[in-house]
Amino acid sequence: FIVCIIFYTSFRMYILTYKKCRKTDKFFYRIPTFYFTIYIKKRIPNERRWYICKIHKVTQAKYEIIELLSKEYSIKSLCEIMKVSRSGYYKWLKNKDTLNNYEINRKKLGELIVDVHKRKPSYGYHRINKIIRDETGWYVSSNLVHKVCKILNIKSKAKHYKYKRPGEESIKYSNIINGNWKTSRPFEKVVSDTTTFYFKKRKYDWTFYLDVFNNEIVGYDVRESMCGNGVLNHREALNNMLNNKIKRGYENLETIVHTDQGVVYSSVSFNNIFNSYKVTRSMSRAGTPTDNPVIESKNGWIKKEMYIDFDINNYNTVQEFIDDIVWDNNNYRPSYALQYKNPVEYRTQLGFK
């Protein structure tokens, strides 16, 4: 609209240089056509859009120019200069304020995208498409959702990591996994870490265990912060994971538990608990989070989402807050690695408990 006003102002200034005369075709033909050429090129978007093609957009720009100048000059002359038909212009003028089925569908899709984005601002267009598909049954392509998100200026928030040089391996437990994260069943490889967060101006430690098979949180515990070295916090989270393993019928199958070289993870008393279970220990190299990318990535995403997608003021206790986050991760949040299914849906469809 601003470009249109600028064009109209410059156009009027050019006309004023000529002597006043009545509304005739001869006078209008004296006006140079490069004004229109410059204006139309500016109207063409450089980025990809969902319009049919650039020709359609150029034609629409011509119609807008004709409408703007129709009060001063004859429509017949304007259509001849712009090289469009009068019937086409009148048809556009009649239907410009009415939406066709294509535009109505895009408008409805935009409303659904805005609704999902308000609930889950951290979700990208793939996850937004999955939620819309599950809640409404409307199947659209992810590319279309991406285009609508760009037009609505909807963006997810991502976290990026800086490269760090790898450290030395643990003397007690070597890195058995060594970058091989392929799994064929639940509780084949489990990773763990402790992260800190603030809940109502108080700092807490959250230790959780993640099943690499489907990114499901299979054990966790949250307590007031002890800088990640709370013994009770680690022990309760570990017992929770082991109880879930037994409850789901995997107690006789081997499990590799991979962690970093934290004080509690390296302690003798902590590792003695595994003697009664079929568990093999594995550790990352010192100061090398890339040896445990599964849990480090989950830490980054889940801490972003807990402040974006959840309202702390709606929870009375930190335990309720974490319980809701764990349920959301296991039963609602779609994952790219799981073909945009949530962890519980993924493993149940494959026939696992």
Side-chain angles (χ1 to χ4, degrees), residues 139-152:
Y139 280 75
V140 296
S141 67
S142 295
N143 288 335
L144 178 58
V145 176
H146 180 232
K147 291 177 183 179
V148 178
C149 286
K150 286 181 68 177
I151 290 171
L152 297 176

Side-chain angles (χ1 to χ4, degrees), residues 35-52:
Y35 281 97
F36 300 106
T37 306
I38 295 172
Y39 176 73
I40 292 170
K41 286 185 177 179
K42 288 184 178 180
R43 295 283 302 184
I44 298 174
N46 293 326
E47 300 179 358
R48 295 176 61 187
R49 291 290 188 268
W50 57 3
Y51 301 113
I52 297 174

Side-chain angles (χ1 to χ4, degrees), residues 63-85:
Y63 290 152
E64 291 174 359
I65 295 172
I66 294 172
E67 183 186 18
L68 183 66
L69 301 178
S70 60
K71 297 178 181 179
E72 299 286 339
Y73 306 99
S74 66
I75 293 177
K76 179 181 178 181
S77 302
L78 291 168
C79 289
E80 289 179 359
I81 291 295
M82 303 303 291
K83 296 182 180 180
V84 294
S85 64

Side-chain angles (χ1 to χ4, degrees), residues 280-314:
T280 303
R281 290 287 282 115
S282 174
M283 277 189 172
S284 302
R285 290 170 291 180
T288 312
T290 52
D291 282 351
N292 198 351
V294 179
I295 197 72
E296 296 296 342
S297 175
K298 177 62 69 175
N299 264 337
W301 278 107
I302 213 162
K303 287 180 72 174
K304 278 280 185 181
E305 292 175 358
M306 74 165 52
Y307 295 116
I308 297 173
D309 297 339
F310 298 89
D311 188 357
I312 292 179
N313 298 321
N314 294 336

